[in-house]
Amino acid sequence: GAVVSQHPSRVICKSGTSVKIECRSLDFQATTMFWYRQFPKQSLMLMATSNEGSKATYEQGVEKDKFLINHASLTLSTLTVTSAHPEDSSFYICSAREGGTLYGYTFGSGTRLTVV
Amino acid sequence: GDSVTQMEGPVTLSEEAFLTINCTYTATGYPSLFWYVQYPGEGLQLLLKATKADDKGSNKGFEATYRKETTSFHLEKGSVQVSDSAVYFCALSESNFGNEKLTFGTGTRLTIIP
């Protein structure tokens, strides 16, 4: 089946630094990728939707300049948390949808970001 | 807008007990409905789905029926196992050209004790 690899699984960074999270579709072409943020004991909140080769569409309340999303190829999307602060600590999950399919979402295993 | 209301947890059951996790939704159109499962430290995995009214999704002994009249998609399993311990998310997606995003419920943490 479809596999999405998300890396790193855990990262600890200092406040003020930037962190990049990668999301790769291993055996299919992902025309659309989604980035979610999950707070403890809460649901997933969609942050942004990215289509290959175009700018990401951010959800209301998500800072575009803080959460930079790049979807430069059909198999790779990156989320960069810029100038991270402790309140950015969270579990980030990507999801990819194969081109030509409806509702064929495959999720990555998530990245636990801790900002100290 | 679209929303999903899910039974609050946590839910603790004994092995072989019957499971029901309630899920109701609000949507403007005719959404597809999903149940996802998240094991500790992992991302979400699709458990089952239903794309139209009266459809029944099933997988690994779990079932859920798309009930349009009650706007519900309750998850059931006849006999749970310890390995079913996880967080379960109900979700919906309305086809919006070029943006079929998922709306999730808050999740229900299930713990099965031997």
Side-chain angles (χ1 to χ4, degrees), chain B residues 76-96:
Chain B
E76 296 182 336
K77 185 172 185 180
S79 177
V80 292
Q81 305 300 314
V82 173
S83 57
D84 295 327
S85 298
V87 181
Y88 292 81
F89 292 93
C90 186
L92 70 81
S93 178
E94 284 206 273
S95 179
N96 184 11

Side-chain angles (χ1 to χ4, degrees), chain A residues 91-108:
Chain A
F91 194 59
Y92 294 86
I93 302 177
C94 71
S95 172
R97 184 173 71 83
E98 186 172 2
T101 65
L102 269 182
Y103 314 126
Y105 307 98
T106 302
F107 285 79

Side-chain angles (χ1 to χ4, degrees), chain A residues 32 34 36 38 41-44 46 49 51 59 91 93 95 97 101-110, chain B residues 30 32 34 36 38 41-46 49 51 89 93-95 98-102 104-107 109:
Chain A
T32 307
F34 305 86
Y36 294 86
Q38 185 179 26
K41 299 183 180 180
Q42 293 188 30
S43 186
L44 284 75
L46 180 65
T49 302
N51 291 296
E59 295 299 301
F91 194 59
I93 302 177
S95 172
R97 184 173 71 83
T101 65
L102 269 182
Y103 314 126
Y105 307 98
T106 302
F107 285 79
S109 55
Chain B
Y30 300 94
S32 289
F34 307 82
Y36 282 86
Q38 184 180 31
E42 300 184 14
L44 273 69
Q45 301 175 25
L46 178 64
K49 69 179 181 184
T51 57
F89 292 93
S93 178
E94 284 206 273
S95 179
N99 188 16
E100 300 90 9
K101 62 183 183 183
L102 289 167
F104 287 90
T106 54
R109 182 174 299 278

